Amino acid sequence: MVDSGNTYGDRVSRLVGWGHWFAFFNIIAALLIGTRYIVQSPWPETLLGQFYLAVSWIGHFGFLVFALYLLILFPLTFLIPSRKLFRLVSVCFATVGLTLLLVDTQAYQSINLHLNPVVWELLFSTEDSALSADLQHLFIVLPLIFLLQLGLSEWVWRKQRKLSHKHVGRPIAAVFFVSFITSHLIYVWSDAYFYNPVTNQKANFPLSYPMTAKSFMEKHGLLDREEYLKRLKENEGNNDLVRYPLEEITFDRRAGNLNILMVSVNNLRGDALNAEAMPATNAYAEQNLNFTNHYSSSNDAFGTFGLFYGLPSSYAGSIKSQGTLPLLMTTLADKGYEFGLFSGDNFSDDLYAETIFRGLQFTGIAFDSKESADGQAIDAWSAWVNDGAKKPWFSYIELTTVDNFSDYSSAQGSANDILRASYAESVKQVDAELAKLYQQLEALELDNNTVVIITSNHGTEFNETNTNSWGSNSNYSRYQLQVPMVIHWPGKLAATYTHRSSHLDLSVTLLQDLLGVSSNPTDFSSGRNLFSERKRRWILAGDSRELALITADRTTVIDKFGNFKLYDKDYNRLKEENPKLPVLMQGLTELQRFYVKSTHSN
């Protein structure tokens, strides 16, 4: 009979004991590596926030490592009773795990992202990239980690009995368990009561999914729903702080003293500006500066946010919660500009009152339903100028005729034909209104002292991409993003520009070329001067959920989880190709550049 020390049961029992101690020391290693997340993340300003950081650090990595042991290595104990083979498998598994954790800390430190499809593509890219090189260099330590794990494996095997006799296993396990439960209970309360010093730490650690229990709390009388909804409204858009501009703006250039008239023809796609559909505006474009390859910064109303702030739409929530006005508007105010703000629907979109023109007075119009609302908005602007608007002035006119294009046709045929006919009729109607505006500009003798900008917030699609997309806010094709950009600038000769330009460029152009700003545009914008024809790698568009990077022949769309989709210039999906990773990383970096590395406190 085989001695008791070599029976299957004894071997398994000893391997289980060894596995627990091996997992414990790997938890310690994971905690040490995990301090890189703490160093890189904003330090909580409150005691509870700091306590949560400590218990979540201990509880999360304790749970993560031990859960992986239970799910993968523990079952193998019964399948691989050979101690040498099992320990070798465990050493290999732990080596890979700690190496991946180290790589993840580097990705988090560099681009504030945990390992995801984008980072993996970057990691194994053959393209030259500083970040790719940094991540790949971390694999150099893999042999060292393997040797350390081998040493740890042997040491734990030899010291296993002595460690067991110390009776510290249960107290240590209790510490990890209590920390794990405590961290989740704190987060449950913080999530329900919007305690930002805790909830802002949600994504600090990899594979972290803090528990929420609002329905449970409400059911058991621990949460008042009405109070919660009230707090929800108060905290809407309460995101990370944005430092905008990044540096104090300097004025070393000669400033102009021209008026500014900005006209947004909402929902007007770029190819609608042609001699047949918009004869008056097309003629105006030929006589002035026409940017024929111009993109909005979003496929929805937040294109206007990019137009004024020069920032991607992802910053809009934070900008709104901080109450920060566009640098363009504050600079105009500092230089004594008077403001006149007019709209065909009296600025029904909250974006204007709560963000872009916050604190400024709108010119309310009592519309006559028998006449064009946009025509009345233009007349109100004309009256404002005639009544002695102090010079210099900035005025903005929002035209909404094309927004309501379904009201403008009685055509027969398929749904697509009816929609297209309605859109064409609304475009024709708004061009007639714009023709009156051009006449009034001439009559008021404003041609020589006023910069006039004609553009749109976004385009619209009639399923040209064959993706069942109609209207806007459904994809990032040129049909939804390309819009007109026509500028009349006294002293500049008429010209047609075909280089790619963006809404993010307009505020930079006005600040530099009209208002005397000499600061680097990177200090206050994600755009650049409209008149710079230097080749750009990408155009940036998107919303709070997605980022679109548009190059000459590709569009890459990335969601907030790092998943990406690639499309060709006609917006056909390219499933077998990978995006250009340096472009991806530049885009992702741009979405983080203006955030302040600090947390809120309640």
Side-chain angles (χ1 to χ4, degrees), residues 215-370:
S215 298
F216 176 85
M217 294 175 71
E218 182 183 350
K219 182 178 180 181
H220 290 82
L222 301 174
L223 179 66
D224 185 282
R225 181 172 180 78
E226 291 185 2
E227 288 186 9
Y228 170 77
L229 292 175
K230 182 180 179 181
R231 287 192 298 269
L232 178 63
K233 187 174 182 180
E234 292 173 351
N235 284 271
E236 186 179 6
N238 195 13
N239 301 309
D240 293 336
L241 288 173
V242 170
R243 186 167 70 248
Y244 167 79
L246 292 172
E247 304 288 344
E248 186 176 351
I249 299 302
T250 56
F251 296 84
D252 294 336
R253 298 183 179 187
R254 181 181 177 184
N257 202 31
L258 300 175
N259 306 314
I260 303 173
L261 168 60
M262 191 182 299
V263 182
S264 175
V265 185
N266 289 356
N267 208 29
L268 182 64
R269 48 192 278 165
D271 59 8
L273 180 55
N274 59 68
E276 182 179 351
M278 302 185 72
T281 303
N282 187 69
Y284 191 75
E286 290 178 346
Q287 298 164 10
N288 291 287
L289 309 170
N290 187 13
F291 296 82
T292 60
N293 198 9
H294 186 82
Y295 288 79
S296 175
S297 56
S298 184
N299 59 3
D300 59 16
F302 280 86
T304 310
F305 175 87
L307 194 67
F308 278 89
Y309 284 90
L311 297 177
S313 301
S314 58
Y315 291 104
S318 296
I319 289 288
K320 175 184 175 182
S321 66
Q322 292 172 224
T324 306
L325 283 171
L327 180 63
L328 174 63
M329 300 301 288
T330 56
T331 303
L332 289 169
D334 291 342
K335 291 188 175 294
Y337 275 69
E338 184 178 2
F339 297 101
L341 309 175
F342 308 86
S343 169
D345 63 4
N346 280 327
F347 295 108
S348 62
D349 194 321
D350 292 339
L351 175 65
Y352 292 102
E354 297 180 0
T355 307
I356 298 174
F357 299 143
R358 186 168 184 165
L360 299 179
Q361 184 175 357
F362 300 153
T363 301
I365 302 170
F367 291 111
D368 183 347
S369 59
K370 297 179 181 179

Side-chain angles (χ1 to χ4, degrees), residues 342-345 365 367-368 371-383 397-401 408 429-430 432-437 440:
F342 308 86
S343 169
D345 63 4
I365 302 170
F367 291 111
D368 183 347
E371 298 182 16
S372 163
D374 284 352
Q376 293 175 74
I378 292 172
D379 289 343
W381 168 82
S382 179
I397 306 176
E398 181 192 30
L399 303 182
T400 60
T401 294
Y408 285 86
Q429 172 68 31
V430 81
E433 302 294 352
L434 286 169
K436 296 177 183 177
L437 174 65
Q440 291 186 30

Side-chain angles (χ1 to χ4, degrees), residues 24 66 168-179:
F24 165 72
F66 195 67
V168 295
R170 289 185 178 180
I172 291 173
V175 169
F176 289 124
F177 178 77
V178 170
S179 296

Side-chain angles (χ1 to χ4, degrees), residues 18 67 87 116 119 142 147 158 212 220 273 308 335 359 389 440 453 477 526 556 558 580 587 595:
W18 173 88
R87 284 168 53 194
N116 60 42
V119 178
L142 192 147
L147 291 175
R158 294 177 182 275
T212 59
H220 290 82
L273 180 55
F308 278 89
K335 291 188 175 294
Q440 291 186 30
I453 300 154
S477 66
S526 295
T556 306
I558 318 167
K580 294 184 180 297
Y595 282 122

